[in-house]
């Protein structure tokens, strides 16, 4: 992340070191991970942060650097866990609800896909020799990381909310493991959660576990599971509101950190505007998106419950995207009905 910041302001390692009053080898150590930035004293890190601000670094990138430290801390925590260690109730995934910004950085070493906020951050700089374009872990480190998450999900104490939070989040992050047996493991876990929940359509913390599991399977190509979740688990208003609240938190529109999944039903939709969520979802209207069904459904629910989020250019972009999607022959019948309802609402708003 520090390397991305350096490149975004157009500096070589030598120039960057000169600005910081450091050795080039120090910069190289930070950027390769040989010298972890987390080991830096707090005062030194704050000084680094102030220097980056003075050099014109975008505030968004500095925030990403701070989040990257959290991701490094989590990876270090997992790497320090032995296979036979008990799963502690204060496991890092049992103590707070992770966000998209954190998750994108956390899985960067595994997917090699940079977080979307970094897409345009780096300028082209002449480099000497081969340079890694993403953080990397050794194969045995990757295996250890995902094996621990699977074990944590299986052994989590589901008798309380923190245990269910651990199970949900460990399963979700484990879904980024590209080993063949992981997909089957996710399907097995999802079936077990569905059986445990039965036919209940009410919101419970277990509902959130099923929601995340359906998203993981969709990312691996099983879209029917997500469609089934929409049909059966988003059948009443409390669950619709829970889904919207989760999107708002995941995307940062709810700024306060949450410690359990209960915020999904404790927050009121009027506590956040919906503009950030709607803008993000409007940009995801694409049949190639494995989550497109829940994207469409969430747009529909947001327009129905929070029409004030629609205004200006955003409503035009949403109308264009919805119209384009309706031409897709593979669009599910439910998604088609929901997009037609969204278009009708948009036309009424424009007419008014």
């Amino acid at each position: 992340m520090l390397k991305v910041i350096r490149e975004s302001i157009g500096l070589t390692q030598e120039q960057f070191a000169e600005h910081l009053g450091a050795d080039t080898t120090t910069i190289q150590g930070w950027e390769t991970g040989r010298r972890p930035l987390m080991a830096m004293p707090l005062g030194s890190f704050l000084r680094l942060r102030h220097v980056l601000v003075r050099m014109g670094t975008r505030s968004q990138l500095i925030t990403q650097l701070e989040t990257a430290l959290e991701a490094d801390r989590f990876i270090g925590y997992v790497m320090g866990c032995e296979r036979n260690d008990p799963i502690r109730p204060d496991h890092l995934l049992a103590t707070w609800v992770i966000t998209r910004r954190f998750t994108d950085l956390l899985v960067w070493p595994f997917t090699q896909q940079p977080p979307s906020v970094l897409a345009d951050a780096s300028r082209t700089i002449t480099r000497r020799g081969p340079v890694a374009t993403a953080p990397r872990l050794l194969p045995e480190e990757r295996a250890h990381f995902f094996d621990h998450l699977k074990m944590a999900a299986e052994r989590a104490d589901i008798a309380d909310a923190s245990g269910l939070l651990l199970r949900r989040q460990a399963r979700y992050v484990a879904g980024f493991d590209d080993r063949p047996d992981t997909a089957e493991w996710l399907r097995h876990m999802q079936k077990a959660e569905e059986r445990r929940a039965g036919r209940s359509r009410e919101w419970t913390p277990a509902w959130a576990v099923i929601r995340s599991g359906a998203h993981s399977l969709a990312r691996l190509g099983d879209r029917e599971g997500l469609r089934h979740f929409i049909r059966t688990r988003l059948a009443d208003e409390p669950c619709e509101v829970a889904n919207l609240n989760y999107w708002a938190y995941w995307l940062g529109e709810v700024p306060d950190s949450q410690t359990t999944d209960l915020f999904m039903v404790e927050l009121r939709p009027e506590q956040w505007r919906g503009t950030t969520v709607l803008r993000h979802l409007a940009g995801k209207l694409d049949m190639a998106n494995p989550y497109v069904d829940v994207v469409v459904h969430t747009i529909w629910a947001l327009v129905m419950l929070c029409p004030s989020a629609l205004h200006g250019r955003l409503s035009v972009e949403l109308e264009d995207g919805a119209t384009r999607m309706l031409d897709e022959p593979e669009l599910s019948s439910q998604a088609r009905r929901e997009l037609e309802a969204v278009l009708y609402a948009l036309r009424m708003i424009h007419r008014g």
Side-chain angles (χ1 to χ4, degrees), residues 13-26:
Q13 288 181 337
E14 292 78 7
Q15 292 168 332
F16 196 43
E18 184 176 349
H19 277 278
L20 293 175
D23 295 330
T24 302
T25 54
T26 298

Side-chain angles (χ1 to χ4, degrees), residues 60-71:
Q60 198 173 30
L61 292 182
I62 292 177
T63 300
Q64 287 289 106
L65 178 63
E66 294 167 351
T67 306
L69 290 176
E70 295 183 38

Side-chain angles (χ1 to χ4, degrees), residues 322-336:
T323 302
R324 184 184 67 253
M325 284 292 294
L326 286 172
D327 291 331
E328 295 285 352
E330 296 180 3
L331 189 68
S332 71
S333 57
Q334 179 170 349
R336 189 173 298 279

Side-chain angles (χ1 to χ4, degrees), residues 158-315:
I158 59 173
D160 61 20
S162 63
L164 282 168
L165 178 63
L166 172 58
R167 171 169 287 204
R168 178 177 75 77
Q169 298 193 137
R171 280 179 60 198
Y172 182 76
V173 179
F176 289 91
D177 182 10
D178 58 6
R179 291 177 296 179
D181 62 325
T182 296
E184 184 57 36
W185 177 81
L186 286 169
R187 281 190 284 269
H188 172 77
M189 293 290 285
Q190 187 72 352
K191 288 178 181 178
E193 297 296 342
E194 292 276 6
R195 286 195 300 270
R196 189 175 293 110
R199 295 181 178 276
S200 173
R201 299 194 173 193
E202 296 181 355
W203 189 93
T204 66
W207 177 94
V209 179
I210 295 173
R211 180 190 185 279
S212 286
H215 280 72
S216 293
L217 289 173
R219 196 182 65 80
L220 295 176
D222 180 7
R223 299 192 182 195
E224 184 51 41
L226 192 53
R227 290 169 179 168
H228 176 74
F229 173 81
I230 294 168
R231 291 193 302 269
T232 61
R233 307 288 179 180
L234 286 176
D236 63 4
E237 186 169 327
C239 291
E240 292 285 12
V241 171
N243 181 56
L244 291 174
N245 282 337
Y246 185 83
W247 275 105
Y249 177 78
W250 176 251
L251 296 172
E253 195 157 356
V254 174
D256 298 330
S257 183
Q258 303 294 326
T259 57
T260 74
D261 282 333
L262 294 176
F263 80 94
M264 296 186 198
V265 288
E266 291 176 346
L267 287 178
R268 299 185 305 278
E270 58 266 26
Q271 291 179 258
W272 46 274
R273 294 182 57 193
T275 305
T276 299
V277 175
L278 201 54
R279 181 176 293 110
H280 172 83
L281 294 176
K284 299 296 181 180
L285 285 171
D286 186 338
M287 284 304 299
N289 178 5
Y291 313 120
V292 69
D293 290 282
V294 77
V295 164
V296 170
H297 182 82
T298 305
I299 288 174
W300 169 81
L302 187 55
V303 170
M304 297 301 114
L305 291 174
C306 308
S308 60
L310 290 168
H311 59 81
R313 180 63 188 167
L314 179 56
S315 65

